[in-house]
Amino acid sequence: MKIFITGGNGQVGFELQRSLSSYGTIVAPSRSVLDLMDLEAVEQFLSVEQPDLIVNAAAWTAVDLAEKEHESAYRLNAELPKLLADYAALKSIWLVHYSSDYVYPGNGVAMWREGDMTAPLSIYGKSKLAGDKAVVASGAQFLIFRTSWVYGARGNNFMKTMLRLGAQRDSLSVVSDQVGAPTPARLISQVSAMSIDRVLSGGGFEKGIYHLAPTGSTNWCDFSKEIFQLAEQAGMPIKISQASVSAIKTEEYPTPAARPLNSRLNVEKLEKALSITLPSWKDQLKLTLSEYLSTRGTN
Ligand SMILES: NC(=O)c1ccc[n+]([C@@H]2O[C@H](COP(=O)([O-])OP(=O)(O)OC[C@H]3O[C@@H](n4cnc5c(N)ncnc54)[C@H](OP(=O)(O)O)[C@@H]3O)[C@@H](O)[C@H]2O)c1
């Protein structure tokens, strides 16, 4: 089986290359080989490679830049998934696609369910929602995993930024009124592999949209404190003290793109479909941090 993974150098795509390697031959061209903004080139690539499964982990993830670069964000986040989904429908193959908590309006405190009303606050969120809609409308066999606050041992992400700042700074202000679950790229790839295994073996896993995140929730400020505490326990040079991390409101840290305050995702649908219990975000942070420590210097 030939598996086409887009964004194979990204946080999720890199982990997918590892998790899916036992299912077939991975084709994951880098940006220099296949520029995904060039949709004609993507079509050409598909017709030459003829994949049996497509896993679309590429995206325009520069949330603030998307406010300026609408066209590019829509090309990557909406037109590309449409093209891939149309191809998957034509060839009767599965498409696995990733989406975001940013498709929801972020109001209230309840956990979002997959059928809830969407109302993105930003261009990034709107472009991701347009991608989801195109995949659903395509008639393809698809899995869309909506996830939140992705981080990992590799790539640029909040955990790694905090480890750097915690070693340099005496004090730090971190937003505390955005609530969600930090999700390791590795967890996403492992659950994706389980789901792909099910659909390929006809194991009764229905196509559709699923939330994929660890259980529990936190805010960015408490997440940073947990990172500092665990890093210190692991012997990392953390200079900052817990007391020197100040909680601030989103309005005190203005960004071009609005962020949802409530990013809590209800993951019951996925847990039920796979008969699994997703781990807690705290346990996942411990794992991810120890992975980071053991691979430091290589990522
Ligand atoms: N990051 C988050 O916090 C977050 C939260 C919720 C949902 N998600 C969703 O989760 C999925 C995976 O996100 P991620 O964090 O793994 O993203 P990421 O680390 O930013 O990776 C994105 C990948 O897309 C590739 N890409 C972008 N433009 C390209 C182009 N023109 N041609 C070829 N490749 C291109 C990048 O290539 P290069 O390596 O060359 O840059 C990179 O490999 C996405 O669908 C994202 O929307 C992410």
Side-chain angles (χ1 to χ4, degrees):
M1 185 169 73
K2 193 184 275 189
I3 307 169
F4 175 30
I5 299 179
T6 66
N9 247 334
Q11 298 191 88
V12 173
F14 181 81
E15 297 294 339
L16 282 167
Q17 293 204 55
R18 297 206 267 199
S19 305
L20 298 180
S21 60
S22 58
Y23 292 92
T25 307
I26 308 279
V27 186
S30 66
R31 189 192 288 252
S32 58
V33 173
L34 178 63
D35 180 358
L36 298 168
M37 294 289 273
D38 183 348
L39 299 182
E40 270 179 34
V42 177
E43 268 181 322
Q44 176 69 19
F45 186 87
L46 288 168
S47 74
V48 171
E49 293 292 340
Q50 301 272 329
D52 305 296
L53 169 68
I54 302 173
V55 186
N56 182 32
W60 181 281
T61 53
V63 174
D64 289 320
L65 194 57
E67 295 298 312
K68 270 202 296 199
E69 311 239 347
H70 295 205
E71 207 184 305
S72 301
Y74 270 90
R75 176 97 52 89
L76 250 293
N77 294 346
E79 292 173 39
L80 175 69
K82 178 178 172 9
L83 187 159
L84 297 174
D86 288 345
Y87 180 85
L90 186 72
K91 299 285 178 177
S92 299
I93 62 171
W94 280 85
L95 168 69
V96 179
H97 175 66
Y98 297 92
S99 184
S100 168
D101 53 309
Y102 280 35
V103 301
Y104 297 112
N107 57 324
V109 293
M111 287 189 280
W112 299 105
R113 287 186 178 272
E114 289 82 348
D116 284 345
M117 193 194 73
T118 49
L121 304 175
S122 60
I123 296 296
Y124 168 77
K126 285 176 183 161
S127 66
K128 291 298 291 182
L129 181 60
D132 291 6
K133 286 184 173 171
V135 172
V136 172
S138 67
Q141 308 177 87
F142 71 89
L143 298 174
I144 296 176
F145 293 114
R146 283 186 182 151
T147 187
S148 60
W149 299 14
V150 178
Y151 73 107
R154 212 183 145 273
N156 295 321
N157 56 63
F158 185 84
M159 181 188 82
K160 289 175 66 180
T161 301
M162 287 302 129
L163 290 174
R164 182 169 45 79
L165 294 179
Q168 293 168 351
R169 299 269 192 95
D170 295 314
S171 65
L172 206 57
S173 299
V174 189
V175 168
S176 65
D177 57 354
Q178 294 171 25
V179 178
T183 309
R186 170 137 335 161
L187 179 70
I188 297 172
S189 77
Q190 287 168 340
V191 175
S192 299
M194 281 179 78
S195 310
I196 288 168
D197 191 271
R198 286 285 182 88
V199 295
L200 294 180
S201 60
F205 189 60
E206 299 284 323
K207 77 174 191 180
I209 300 176
Y210 295 88
H211 289 162
L212 198 181
T215 54
S217 61
T218 185
N219 62 64
W220 292 111
C221 184
D222 288 347
F223 184 33
S224 72
K225 289 183 183 175
E226 191 74 15
I227 293 167
F228 296 142
Q229 192 184 337
L230 289 173
E232 213 165 6
Q233 282 167 9
M236 290 185 75
I238 296 297
K239 187 174 166 194
I240 204 162
S241 70
Q242 296 275 318
S244 310
V245 182
S246 318
I248 57 166
K249 290 201 176 303
T250 298
E251 64 211 34
E252 295 172 75
Y253 186 73
T255 50
R259 265 73 174 165
L261 295 183
N262 175 19
S263 282
R264 297 173 181 89
L265 297 177
N266 184 310
V267 294
E268 281 172 11
K269 182 181 172 190
L270 182 61
E271 289 188 320
K272 205 168 158 203
L274 288 176
S275 305
I276 57 167
T277 302
L278 282 159
S280 73
W281 73 264
K282 275 194 187 182
D283 286 345
Q284 285 291 293
L285 174 60
K286 278 185 206 134
L287 269 181
T288 311
L289 194 62
S290 65
E291 187 199 342
Y292 169 73
L293 287 169
S294 64
T295 57
R296 211 160 22 145
T298 62
N299 48 38

